[in-house]
Amino acid sequence: MVSCLPVVLLVLACSCQLVVGLWPMPSNLTVGSTALKLSSGFRVVVNVKNAPSDLQSAVTRTKAFLRKDKLQRLVVGRGASDTQKVQAAKSLPSLTISITGKRAVQSISKEAMLPLEDRSEAYSLTVPSDGSSAVLTAESTLGLFRGLTTFTQLWYQFQNTIYTVQAPIEITNDSPAFPYRGFMLDTARNFFPVADIKRTLDAMSWVKLNNFHWHVTDGQSWPLHVDAAPELSAAGAYSSEETFSKSDIQDIITYAGERGIDVLVEIDTPGHTGSIVHSHPDLVACSVFSPWTKFANEPPSGQIRLADPKAIDLASSIFASVAKDFPSKYISTGGDELNTACYMSDNATVAQLTAKGQTLEQALDTFTQGTHGALHKAGKTAVVWEEMVLNHNVTLTNDTIAMVWISADSVAAAINKGFRIIHASSDFLYLDCGGGQWVGADIGNSWCDPFKSWQKVYSFDPMANLSSSQGEFVMGGETLLWTEQSDSSNLDPIAWPRAAAAAEVFWTGPNLPDGTPRNGSEAMVRLHDMRYRFVQRGVKAIALQPQWCAIRPGICDLNA
């Protein structure tokens, strides 16, 4: 043990200089080593004229977290050794929050739904050690919300005293490295109740993730109510109880917006649309064909007959209708894993192509003009999977955003075509990988195994092999949970805290505040803390190590 001591002390020294509870790490940070208590009468003073109701609600939640987190420090004794220092500490009476600059005051929700380039999430936070008030400033209510989130991570509780041992704390102009920081949830392969989605949105907000990518329909089921085509969910959902009604949709959007999260809905087309067959059997090719391996990437097979004018009209009306229900600037039309064999074996599609003198690619272009035309008419920006940019000869407007998931090589290729990109790397960011095959008795690995550990996620470099000019096209990235093997029973431990690892990648950027590169050893100390706080708040994030290790930072490292 003696030979390991210098390594352990080094890790401890590092974690003391970087506030252990902060996740993601701010871009600018200075801290002290003075104890500071939260006053029993602690107040949050909202110095914002005509403060929006969702800002007031965020303040209420902040005060509730301070009272109810009851998180003890992750040290031996869980804070018992702090008692004497804390008893003599000064008390923080209040936090004053205010808007600076000339930006018009809007609700958190409205700020969160602005175009990516217009969102303002920066904030500055000062927590003195002398008993004077803490101060939080930002140019927007969204920035104030991010700062409130940071403030809640500073505090621990022992014997009914809420305190920190690292005052004073100064965070200056903390802002995200990338404007898009997301989490994708597939609610079509297995259904997730609204309560699960809300809990996920809460967890996202605690680590400053700002985009909920909702993959809501697929070949397996269609749970989403669409005003223009209510028959889709009536016939295509697993059951009448496993649907998202219009009020559910509004509830989720409102809940997300109040937590600084934009909802990017995805209606994947023209592939992954087999569930339409239950309401429109005449508009689906190769429905539940065998062997499914020939006609789809996974069962069941089935794709909308993209060459049929009625199918184009239906798809266009779906997007026009969805655009009215979802206020986000962005809507995804999908476009991945189009199966050619499905269409070429479908007599109706072949007949349509022959009659029009079109190739399949030309028909795909016509179909895409219909769906994207509906979005553009509604003032929306289309988001697509990378295949639409790299594998197909379709006409896309320059503002289209490509999600890159297949290969890191695809990033530069998409950028070189002039498109902005969002990282969705299956090699680093797919949270469903590692469960093995799910297609019957096959005992092999799934296509994207092995399991993507939090360390693997954390090692992702958004700017790898890109020039600085290419880097300007990178909007950010997201972790993704495809749910072949997930439902309500394992949502939390599958997603968390791995999705939080990506949150720091895309907020903090490559370096810590002291200029050193982010690294897993330092990060584990803080991620432990964040995970324990998640559990205190009701999110069942999976443990990273035995608690014996968690309260002894660094001592369980391989090189300790």
Side-chain angles (χ1 to χ4, degrees):
M1 283 296 296
V2 175
S3 62
C4 297
L5 189 57
V7 176
V8 177
L9 289 176
L10 179 62
V11 174
L12 286 171
C14 177
S15 64
C16 286
Q17 302 212 356
L18 300 176
V19 179
V20 173
L22 292 184
W23 196 281
M25 180 57 68
S27 50
N28 295 283
L29 170 70
T30 57
V31 300
S33 57
T34 301
L36 179 69
K37 295 181 290 190
L38 207 63
S39 168
S40 59
F42 176 80
R43 299 177 302 128
V44 178
V45 179
V46 181
N47 186 20
V48 178
K49 188 176 181 180
N50 300 320
S53 60
D54 59 4
L55 178 60
Q56 299 282 11
S57 296
V59 169
T60 299
R61 292 196 304 276
T62 296
K63 292 187 289 187
F65 288 141
L66 293 172
R67 293 193 312 271
K68 297 179 180 179
D69 275 359
K70 298 181 179 178
L71 179 65
Q72 295 180 326
R73 282 216 300 141
L74 289 179
V75 294
V76 175
R78 301 305 301 274
S81 61
D82 300 328
T83 303
Q84 186 174 357
K85 180 187 291 189
V86 171
Q87 285 177 343
K90 294 184 180 297
S91 295
L92 182 73
S94 62
L95 168 68
T96 299
I97 68 173
S98 58
I99 297 286
T100 59
K102 299 180 179 180
R103 193 181 183 99
V105 176
Q106 298 188 95
S107 67
I108 296 171
S109 297
K110 286 185 178 179
E111 291 281 353
M113 296 175 193
L114 290 173
L116 289 169
E117 62 272 15
D118 294 335
R119 297 178 191 175
S120 175
E121 299 182 81
Y123 68 92
S124 295
L125 175 64
T126 300
V127 181
S129 59
D130 61 3
S132 57
S133 179
V135 177
L136 170 63
T137 60
E139 292 184 352
S140 71
T141 55
L142 181 58
L144 289 179
F145 178 65
R146 301 296 181 223
L148 288 171
T149 300
T150 296
F151 187 79
T152 66
Q153 297 176 357
L154 300 175
W155 306 96
Y156 301 95
Q157 187 165 334
F158 189 79
Q159 295 182 340
N160 298 318
T161 299
I162 302 169
Y163 70 98
T164 179
V165 292
Q166 294 186 286
I169 299 165
E170 184 81 29
I171 298 172
T172 306
N173 196 34
D174 182 28
S175 60
F178 298 93
Y180 184 102
R181 306 174 308 282
F183 173 75
M184 190 217 78
L185 181 64
D186 160 23
T187 62
R189 287 170 174 83
N190 280 309
F191 182 79
F192 292 82
V194 171
D196 285 344
I197 294 174
K198 285 185 173 181
R199 190 177 65 258
T200 299
L201 292 167
D202 280 329
M204 290 174 63
S205 73
W206 300 336
V207 291
K208 300 184 176 71
L209 291 173
N210 68 343
N211 282 271
F212 176 55
H213 175 184
W214 191 3
H215 184 92
V216 68
T217 65
D218 213 291
Q220 290 83 1
S221 76
W222 188 292
L224 183 73
H225 171 80
V226 178
D227 278 346
E231 69 278 5
L232 292 170
S233 59
Y238 285 130
S239 72
S240 59
E241 287 75 36
E242 295 169 291
T243 61
F244 298 106
S245 67
K246 192 176 180 72
S247 62
D248 290 335
I249 296 166
Q250 185 56 57
D251 190 17
I252 289 168
I253 292 169
T254 300
Y255 197 88
E258 290 173 346
R259 285 151 183 80
I261 297 169
D262 191 18
V263 179
L264 166 65
V265 67
E266 178 188 353
I267 310 292
D268 203 353
T269 57
H272 295 275
T273 47
S275 57
I276 291 175
V277 74
H278 302 292
S279 55
H280 296 273
D282 57 321
L283 297 183
V284 175
C286 69
S287 177
V288 199
F289 273 23
S290 181
W292 63 261
T293 52
K294 179 180 178 181
F295 302 103
N297 281 57
E298 66 178 44
S301 63
Q303 298 179 154
I304 193 168
R305 284 177 168 142
L306 80 175
D308 190 325
K310 291 185 294 183
I312 297 173
D313 289 345
L314 175 63
S316 299
S317 69
I318 290 170
F319 282 105
S321 183
V322 167
K324 295 176 182 177
D325 287 340
F326 287 82
S328 174
K329 174 73 173 176
Y330 308 96
I331 290 179
S332 175
T333 60
D336 63 320
E337 298 180 333
L338 189 69
N339 188 283
T340 302
C342 171
Y343 287 128
M344 292 299 95
S345 65
D346 181 57
N347 292 335
T349 298
V350 172
Q352 287 280 358
L353 294 175
T354 301
K356 295 178 181 179
Q358 283 187 321
T359 64
L360 187 59
E361 283 293 301
Q362 289 170 331
L364 175 61
D365 186 49
T366 301
F367 181 90
T368 303
Q369 298 318 302
T371 56
H372 284 210
L375 292 183
H376 297 152
K377 188 175 181 180
K380 306 293 186 180
T381 296
V383 179
V384 297
W385 294 110
E386 67 175 78
E387 292 98 315
M388 294 296 284
V389 168
L390 300 177
N391 297 358
H392 298 295
N393 186 23
V394 296
T395 304
L396 300 171
T397 56
N398 288 337
D399 64 343
T400 303
I401 298 175
M403 286 191 164
V404 178
W405 67 279
I406 297 174
S407 168
D409 295 336
S410 302
V411 174
I415 289 172
N416 290 340
K417 286 196 169 189
F419 294 101
R420 295 175 293 172
I421 70 100
I422 292 170
H423 286 291
S425 170
S426 57
D427 291 333
F428 289 86
L429 304 175
Y430 270 33
L431 302 182
D432 52 298
C433 307
Q437 283 287 18
W438 54 272
V439 286
D442 190 333
I443 63 173
N445 292 329
S446 70
W447 72 273
C448 68
D449 281 0
F451 182 83
K452 314 305 179 195
S453 66
W454 77 262
Q455 294 95 330
K456 180 73 171 180
V457 174
Y458 196 72
S459 71
F460 182 70
D461 180 2
M463 304 299 286
N465 302 315
L466 297 177
S467 66
S468 57
S469 59
Q470 288 174 320
E472 296 176 4
F473 289 81
V474 178
M475 296 294 99
E478 65 181 25
T479 47
L480 305 93
L481 180 53
W482 303 103
T483 60
E484 289 90 346
Q485 295 175 290
S486 296
D487 60 13
S488 293
S489 67
N490 67 345
L491 171 59
D492 289 4
I494 288 289
W496 306 106
R498 291 188 293 157
E504 179 154 298
V505 170
F506 293 109
W507 177 281
T508 305
N511 296 323
L512 295 170
D514 62 3
T516 60
R518 284 186 298 99
N519 67 88
S521 294
E522 183 281 327
M524 177 170 274
V525 180
R526 293 182 294 107
L527 192 57
H528 268 307
D529 203 273
M530 192 70 244
R531 179 263 167 184
Y532 274 75
R533 197 176 294 275
F534 267 43
V535 173
Q536 292 295 104
R537 295 181 181 181
V539 173
K540 296 179 180 179
I542 197 169
L544 301 176
Q545 287 180 322
Q547 185 169 313
W548 191 90
C549 301
I551 64 177
R552 295 170 174 84
I555 204 167
C556 294
D557 285 4
L558 191 61
N559 62 349

